[in-house]
Amino acid sequence: MKFPIYLDSHATTPVDPRVFDEMKSYFTENFGNASSLDHSFGYDASVAVQQGREKIAHAIGSTMDEIIFTSGATESDNLALIGVMERNKEKGNHLITCVTEHKAILDTAHHLEKIGYKVTFLPVDEFGQVDVESVKSAITSETVLISIMFANNEIGTITNVSEIGKIAHDKNVLFHTDAAQAVGHLPINVEKMNIDLMSFSSHKIYGPKGIGALYVRGIMPRVKINPIVFGGGQERNLRSGTLNVPGIVGFAKAIEISQAEMDSENIRFKKWTGFMLEKLSGADAKLNGHPTKRLAHNLNVRFDGIESKAIINSVSKKIAISAGSACTTKMVEPSHVLMALGLDEDQAHSAIRIGCSRFNTDEEIKVAAEEIYSAIGALAKIRA
Ligand SMILES: *Cc1c(COP(=O)(O)O)cnc(C)c1O
């Protein structure tokens, strides 16, 4: 067994070798610019982009021309929120989102507030879910957009996306979802789920970093957005910049594999996270998030009275786990997601997040559970 065992899949995942193989030639011989259609180099690149776009659209139940390639979910979130709010000023200036969103949404929403838009940050219940009725009652005649994440990156809680989308559509409001943790892990159909815009990313599903997409509904309703990046007019003028051809090829392969293997993978993940929860319950672990409506590969638990930093450090030679979101771990502030569940600061500082991956093994999961279990035992003893 190789150490440390990687169990931080919500932060990022390794590139699947099948994805890497598919990408290789687009760095070297097939290096063309997909917009340079005067020769075969550019033409071949544009065909690769077209095929990639087709696979990605197919995976989420959209059409090809509804996919805008970006550098990742962060940029997609920025484009969705700023692009929709700016473009629809004549309709209103109100955005609805929720307190447990990724910083890519929260900080963009705060930016919009600063430049004069109104934002409602809805609370969540103890499991991390937004109350569908509270979404409904937050809508005003000024509301343009509702943005609620599909699955949470810290606690894995899955949102009732279809219902929120239905409410949005009934009220003639647009619905965006940050699905960076959901695409490739859960079945998604933007049509059936009433989604108008959706952000997702390649590196959370065993694809390369630096490539992602924003789905933007083309009909019923046709969603109009403003660009936030200007230049050569790529992506129907909505996201200028030379297309990341190897990234797109890898992203498409990654999503194709994830779709094909999702069901069997989730069965394995559920077994693993269930096993770990049971083992760690013997060390008084308490589950953060929803007991059933959660990502199968996520486990977020806390050990009251024991600091997560101490746990992470004491197992770090053997296991790579985190205290929460990768983007906030440098701060001393407790996780905004855990605080939103109603935990106090000490409780929020006692949580660890485990994210299983396709490349883990039964043996690794067993060893990891034992390592954490005995680390907790040792730390509890020191404290006593
Ligand atoms: C990872 C993540 C992001 C950011 O995605 P990048 O592609 O790294 O920019 C945004 N939202 C959620 C929910 C995420 O998990």
Side-chain angles (χ1 to χ4, degrees):
M1 200 179 305
K2 247 177 78 182
F3 293 106
I5 299 163
Y6 188 75
L7 283 172
D8 197 16
S9 281
H10 302 291
T12 195
T13 54
V15 172
D16 190 304
R18 293 168 287 181
V19 169
F20 186 50
D21 277 346
E22 194 96 351
M23 292 171 69
K24 277 178 192 161
S25 74
Y26 293 93
F27 289 105
T28 50
E29 61 262 39
N30 301 321
F31 60 85
N33 183 325
S35 303
S36 305
L37 299 178
D38 295 328
H39 45 68
S40 65
F41 295 93
Y43 181 75
D44 292 348
S46 82
V47 170
V49 167
Q50 160 123 347
Q51 287 170 347
R53 203 187 294 278
E54 227 158 43
K55 284 181 191 172
I56 291 165
H58 177 74
I60 63 163
S62 81
T63 61
M64 264 175 63
D65 53 2
E66 295 174 313
I67 301 294
I68 297 169
F69 287 116
T70 65
S71 62
T74 300
E75 187 188 331
S76 299
D77 286 345
N78 275 261
L79 176 58
L81 266 50
I82 299 171
V84 166
M85 295 311 290
E86 275 193 355
R87 180 62 185 258
N88 295 280
K89 262 184 191 155
E90 79 288 351
K91 179 170 187 250
N93 68 347
H94 182 221
L95 164 71
I96 297 171
T97 183
C98 95
V99 290
T100 52
E101 294 288 323
H102 190 273
K103 291 284 178 195
I105 292 288
L106 293 178
D107 286 358
T108 306
H110 287 132
H111 164 76
L112 286 167
E113 259 183 333
K114 232 188 277 171
I115 59 173
Y117 292 91
K118 289 207 176 65
V119 185
T120 300
F121 296 92
L122 294 172
V124 294
D125 63 19
E126 60 186 308
F127 305 117
Q129 283 197 314
V130 177
D131 172 28
V132 176
E133 283 306 310
S134 79
V135 177
K136 202 178 199 167
S137 41
I139 296 172
T140 72
S141 58
E142 291 286 308
T143 309
V144 171
L145 178 67
I146 297 169
S147 179
I148 304 287
M149 72 200 311
F150 206 119
N152 187 274
N153 49 300
E154 290 191 35
I155 55 175
T157 297
I158 299 165
T159 306
N160 213 332
V161 164
S162 321
E163 272 187 54
I164 296 172
K166 172 85 168 51
I167 287 171
H169 283 181
D170 287 348
K171 299 265 185 178
N172 200 21
V173 170
L174 296 174
F175 176 52
H176 167 257
T177 186
D178 176 345
Q181 294 289 345
V183 167
H185 294 284
L186 299 169
I188 293 181
N189 182 298
V190 289
E191 206 53 59
K192 288 193 188 129
M193 295 178 156
N194 310 308
I195 297 167
D196 296 315
L197 302 109
M198 182 170 78
S199 303
F200 51 117
S201 186
S202 147
H203 76 100
K204 303 284 173 78
I205 53 167
Y206 315 94
K209 293 169 185 57
I211 184 76
L214 179 66
Y215 155 77
V216 183
R217 180 178 286 279
I219 51 161
M220 297 206 319
R222 179 176 182 79
V223 177
K224 290 183 176 157
I225 65 172
N226 278 358
I228 57 171
V229 174
F230 300 87
Q234 289 88 350
E235 301 297 87
R236 294 182 291 116
N237 264 324
L238 293 174
R239 204 286 191 169
S240 286
T242 301
L243 286 171
N244 176 355
V245 181
I248 290 165
V249 169
F251 185 13
K253 184 69 182 176
I255 209 168
E256 192 178 49
I257 295 171
S258 295
Q259 288 297 115
E261 302 183 358
M262 184 187 291
D263 292 346
S264 58
E265 237 162 39
N266 278 337
I267 291 171
R268 275 205 312 159
F269 289 151
K270 212 167 171 178
K271 198 180 81 187
W272 287 345
T273 51
F275 167 78
M276 283 191 284
L277 179 60
E278 196 174 299
K279 172 86 188 172
L280 297 176
S281 294
D284 277 339
K286 298 200 178 60
L287 183 73
N288 295 319
H290 201 287
T292 53
K293 288 175 184 163
R294 58 186 304 114
L295 294 169
H297 61 303
N298 173 281
L299 185 64
N300 192 312
V301 285
R302 67 179 190 276
F303 302 89
D304 288 337
I306 299 177
E307 276 204 33
S308 48
K309 270 271 167 272
I311 305 168
I312 291 163
N313 290 341
S314 76
V315 302
S316 68
K317 286 213 173 65
K318 290 207 167 152
I319 325 167
I321 49 172
S322 80
S325 106
C327 321
T328 50
T329 42
K330 276 196 208 77
M331 303 178 196
V332 283
E333 281 154 43
S335 147
H336 69 283
V337 175
L338 297 177
M339 294 300 282
L341 305 182
L343 301 186
D344 64 35
E345 282 202 25
D346 287 343
Q347 288 176 317
H349 277 304
S350 72
I352 55 169
R353 178 184 68 175
I354 297 169
C356 301
S357 102
R358 176 181 292 164
F359 302 109
N360 288 127
T361 62
D362 288 339
E363 189 61 19
E364 283 181 344
I365 298 299
K366 211 170 132 234
V367 169
E370 277 160 10
E371 283 294 322
I372 299 169
Y373 181 84
S374 52
I376 302 295
L379 290 165
K381 219 177 249 163
I382 294 169
R383 204 171 47 90

